[in-house]
C-alpha cells in the first residue's frame, strides 16, 4: 500500500477483567472478516494499551469507505466507543521493507 489512504480510527473501552482469548476470538471470527468485505478495505491494526483502552485503525482507499466502516466499528451492542474519527494518512508499503 502506498500513497493516500483514509483510516477509520476508533478507541474503545475494554473491561480489564475480560478474557483476552475471547476478545481475540470476536475480532478474528466476526469483526475482521466483516471489515474485509467492505469496499476499499486495505488493512487493519488492532492495539491494546494493556489496561482499559483498545484502538483499531482500519485503512481504506477512500474517505467514504472509511466513514462506512465507522458504522461497523461503533455499532450498538459492541464495546463502548471512547473516540472515533476519520484520518487522512500517507502510507508506506511496509511489506517492501520486509516488515
Amino acid at each position: 500500500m502506498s500513497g493516500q489512504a483514509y483510516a477509520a480510527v476508533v478507541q474503545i473501552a475494554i473491561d480489564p477483567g475480560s478474557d483476552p482469548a475471547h476478545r481475540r476470538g470476536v475480532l478474528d471470527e466476526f469483526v475482521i472478516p466483516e471489515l474485509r468485505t467492505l469496499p476499499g478495505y486495505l488493512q487493519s491494526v488492532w492495539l491494546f494499551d494493556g489496561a482499559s483502552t483498545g484502538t483499531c485503525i482500519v485503512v481504506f482507499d477512500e474517505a467514504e469507505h472509511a466513514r462506512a466502516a465507522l458504522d461497523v466499528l461503533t455499532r450498538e451492542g459492541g464495546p463502548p466507543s471512547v473516540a472515533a474519527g476519520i484520518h487522512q494518512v500517507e502510507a508506506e508499503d511496509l511489506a517492501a521493507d520486509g516488515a
Side-chain angles (χ1 to χ4, degrees):
M1 172 181 54
S2 62
Q4 189 171 323
Y6 296 85
V9 179
V10 178
Q11 288 187 306
I12 59 169
I14 296 177
D15 176 359
S18 65
D19 178 20
H22 173 73
R23 291 194 313 261
R24 186 69 208 183
V26 170
L27 284 176
D28 290 343
E29 295 175 31
F30 301 104
V31 179
I32 294 171
E34 182 175 2
L35 289 169
R36 286 181 174 163
T37 67
L38 295 177
Y41 173 89
L42 297 174
Q43 71 183 60
S44 58
V45 177
W46 302 83
L47 309 168
F48 178 52
D49 69 0
S52 62
T53 303
T55 303
C56 59
I57 303 166
V58 187
V59 182
F60 291 87
D61 60 351
E62 297 179 13
E64 301 82 47
H65 294 150
R67 278 188 209 94
L70 286 180
D71 292 337
V72 173
L73 295 166
T74 60
R75 72 168 49 122
E76 189 174 328
S81 297
V82 175
I86 303 299
H87 300 264
Q88 183 176 346
V89 297
E90 290 294 328
E92 293 183 33
D93 186 353
L94 297 177
D97 294 334

